[in-house]
Amino acid sequence: MDNAAFDLMAELKALVGSADQVDVSDTTIADHAYDWWPVAAKWRQNGKMPCKPDAVVFPADVKEVSAVLAWANEKGVPVTPWGLGSSVTGQPLTEYGGVTLDLSRMNRIIAVDTDNMIVRAEAGVMGGDLEDHLRGMGYTLNHSPQSLYRSTVGGWFATRATGQLSSRYGGIEDLAHSFTAVLADGTVFDTLDLPRMAVGPDLRHLMIGSEGTMGVITEVALKIFPLPEYRENETIKFPSVEAGKDAMRAIMAANIRPALLRFYDTAEARHAMQDKAFSSPVMFVGSEGMEGPARAEMEASRTVCAKFGGEPIGPEGTEGWIGRRYDFSTIEGFVMRPEGVAETIEISNNWARIMDTYTLMTKRLAPMADEVLGHFSHVYTTGVSLYVILLGEAKDGPEAEERIKKIWEIAMEASLETGASISHHHGAGLARTPYVERSLGAGLDVMQRVKDALDPNNILNPGKLGLRRP
């Protein structure tokens, strides 16, 4: 170990409670040099490490986070927050070395408040652990990202996550009650535990979706809900993608709010139904709550779908998917082979333009993979998100890496050309940074002014979200 590394370790160890909270070993550095972005997987397979921290610090509490940030701010050392490294866009990867702040040891469930219907937990709590804890008490988060069992509650806030039941319960911005964060200079910042305030802007949104560029979230409070007493599921096939899209729009316009509302084109329907011979687009619908309202809601959804040619075929397809909804094995099976090509790209658009985005993106991406799959989920009265999933093979690892990069370029250009957002809930990270300025326009300048005020030395996850690089 050279003198610079020794000095860094010595200074960091003085800020935390024990020596094992600072690690510069090759193994730990490598563990924090790659997330679940498929490009990062190819870097690992191809022997590359372009995003390498100098040290990893495992703080035990908010005081230690504050001490590390105050030190880093004074020294001009970059700090990149890390939850469980499950990002699929490179959000927790540092381009500039410095310290990766791994919050996984801050994993206490602090309190479940059933009077006010909130749960408070440290940012490093794994979402699945929190959900299992609540279910044992008869409650649920109603936040169910596919990464529930490999992501943290702090990561949900930082990346503006959403879950599979968002059409009823909303994204993390709707489920977030309050939080504690630490600013770049070590200042501890709390938002208030109140249902609503009309005293200036909602300060929660300084941190929600900021990807660690504005502060480090250390503690969160989330809404909780009683477990529903009744659930009913239905699977509905449609004559075309256009018809299914229109049915989704009509369901939301009628103020019907099924907890589950997902629609697959024929290519992905074969996967979702686990039937290679399945030959039509298909919708999964689920209603829950008290039995009477849930039954009525499902019947209303069937009635709307019928107006667009929707034909109910029973609950089995939907319920089969529910049993597999946290399974990443198909994507991972491709990504983990050096020649494998796989990517999942999610965007959103309004109802008037979403088919333009779907048509252009799937057409342009068709030559890039053996399968190009599409589904619509996370539904709003104003529009919907679109997922495009690609599965294929390249001749070797280097070609697979370049193919995935090209997929991103094609997808982002198609999004921008058709007026879509460049991300719905996976965030920007490294994957989308080159396209942020074109996506946000003047909004990027506003965001940069906020960044300059909160982090004038630009130490927090520098360069992400299209913000100024060091």
Side-chain angles (χ1 to χ4, degrees):
M1 183 183 301
D2 62 29
N3 289 336
F6 181 85
D7 290 344
L8 178 66
M9 282 193 68
E11 291 192 44
L12 288 169
K13 286 179 179 179
L15 302 172
V16 294
S18 63
D20 72 346
Q21 290 175 249
V22 181
D23 197 334
V24 296
S25 67
D26 290 344
T27 299
T28 299
I29 294 298
D31 285 344
H32 293 79
Y34 310 99
D35 65 351
W36 280 94
W37 184 26
V39 170
K42 298 307 166 188
W43 286 340
R44 187 193 290 268
Q45 294 162 2
N46 295 333
K48 301 177 180 179
M49 195 183 291
C51 296
K52 179 181 177 181
D54 296 306
V56 180
V57 178
F58 299 85
D61 55 36
V62 67
K63 291 181 180 179
E64 292 183 354
V65 173
S66 176
V68 171
L69 288 184
W71 168 85
N73 191 54
E74 181 181 349
K75 300 286 188 178
V77 175
V79 177
T80 304
W82 180 282
L84 288 175
S86 60
S87 164
V88 292
T89 59
Q91 290 158 331
L93 304 183
T94 175
E95 296 181 276
Y96 302 102
V99 171
T100 288
L101 199 64
D102 186 321
L103 301 171
S104 60
R105 297 189 190 181
M106 295 176 61
N107 59 2
R108 292 184 307 130
I109 299 172
I110 298 167
V112 180
D113 180 350
T114 57
D115 288 332
N116 295 308
M117 298 297 285
I118 60 172
V119 61
R120 183 169 292 279
E122 290 182 314
V125 171
M126 186 180 73
D129 287 344
L130 182 57
E131 177 69 10
D132 291 345
H133 180 81
L134 290 169
R135 284 180 172 269
M137 301 174 65
Y139 296 91
T140 176
L141 295 167
N142 277 328
H143 184 67
S144 56
Q146 190 178 21
S147 62
L148 181 66
Y149 287 91
R150 56 173 74 186
S151 58
T152 64
V153 298
W156 296 346
F157 277 59
T159 61
R160 202 175 183 85
T162 198
Q164 295 155 342
L165 307 180
S166 68
S167 297
R168 167 169 279 186
Y169 300 106
I172 199 65
E173 68 274 17
D174 303 295
L175 298 167
H177 186 65
S178 64
F179 61 76
T180 300
V182 183
L183 303 181
D185 64 358
T187 299
V188 178
F189 161 52
D190 295 289
T191 60
L192 300 179
D193 278 333
L194 295 169
R196 191 177 189 274
M197 290 179 61
V199 187
D202 188 340
L203 296 178
R204 293 176 304 166
H205 293 282
L206 287 173
M207 300 295 159
I208 294 175
S210 68
E211 302 187 16
T213 63
M214 305 292 179
V216 177
I217 296 167
T218 58
E219 189 175 300
V220 305
L222 286 158
K223 299 175 185 177
I224 61 174
F225 303 82
L227 287 170
E229 66 178 50
Y230 177 82
R231 288 190 178 90
E232 184 172 342
N233 300 304
E234 184 60 275
T235 311
I236 304 174
K237 66 179 184 178
F238 283 86
S240 67
V241 173
E242 185 86 33
K245 179 268 296 183
D246 287 343
M248 294 183 97
R249 178 187 53 77
I251 286 171
M252 298 304 285
N255 203 30
I256 306 169
R257 292 292 181 272
L260 180 67
L261 188 58
R262 301 170 69 85
F263 176 60
Y264 299 85
D265 68 9
T266 303
E268 191 169 355
R270 296 185 183 110
H271 288 267
M273 296 292 290
Q274 292 205 318
D275 180 354
K276 293 180 180 180
F278 200 80
S279 59
S280 67
V282 69
M283 183 181 292
F284 293 164
V285 187
S287 292
E288 63 183 34
M290 297 178 66
E291 182 172 353
R295 283 183 177 275
E297 181 181 75
M298 179 59 76
E299 189 55 36
S301 296
R302 290 191 187 99
T303 298
V304 171
C305 289
K307 295 177 182 179
F308 298 90
E311 179 185 341
I313 57 174
E316 293 79 12
T318 300
E319 291 175 354
W321 173 84
I322 289 171
R324 304 184 300 273
R325 62 183 174 145
Y326 302 124
D327 181 5
F328 285 83
S329 60
T330 298
I331 299 293
E332 289 178 351
F334 278 86
V335 171
M336 299 312 293
R337 297 196 303 274
E339 71 279 5
V341 173
E343 190 54 274
T344 61
I345 297 175
E346 33 60 60
I347 57 86
S348 66
N349 212 335
N350 62 31
W351 290 114
R353 295 193 300 260
I354 192 63
M355 286 303 295
D356 293 339
T357 306
Y358 168 80
T359 301
L360 185 63
M361 193 177 292
T362 54
K363 178 181 178 181
R364 289 185 178 174
L365 288 171
M368 304 304 296
D370 299 324
E371 292 186 86
V372 178
L373 319 174
H375 73 257
F376 303 82
S377 54
H378 312 298
V379 191
Y380 310 87
T381 57
T382 54
V384 64
S385 76
L386 166 67
Y387 248 99
V388 176
I389 300 171
L390 297 100
L391 304 171
E393 303 280 344
K395 68 178 182 181
D396 55 26
E399 183 181 289
E401 179 183 335
E402 292 308 309
R403 178 99 59 91
I404 295 170
K405 290 177 181 177
K406 185 64 176 179
I407 285 168
W408 274 100
E409 179 185 336
I410 292 169
M412 293 297 94
E413 290 295 338
S415 297
L416 292 166
E417 285 180 36
T418 56
S421 75
I422 61 170
S423 176
H424 177 262
H425 60 271
H426 285 168
L430 294 173
R432 291 179 165 101
T433 289
Y435 309 95
V436 169
E437 184 174 4
R438 290 167 61 195
S439 178
L440 294 184
L444 180 58
D445 179 62
V446 174
M447 199 158 65
Q448 183 64 63
R449 295 185 194 192
V450 175
K451 168 76 167 175
D452 290 342
L454 295 178
D455 182 16
N457 295 324
N458 197 21
I459 65 162
L460 291 173
N461 209 359
K464 298 294 183 4
L465 290 175
L467 296 167
R468 174 170 52 84
R469 295 176 175 272

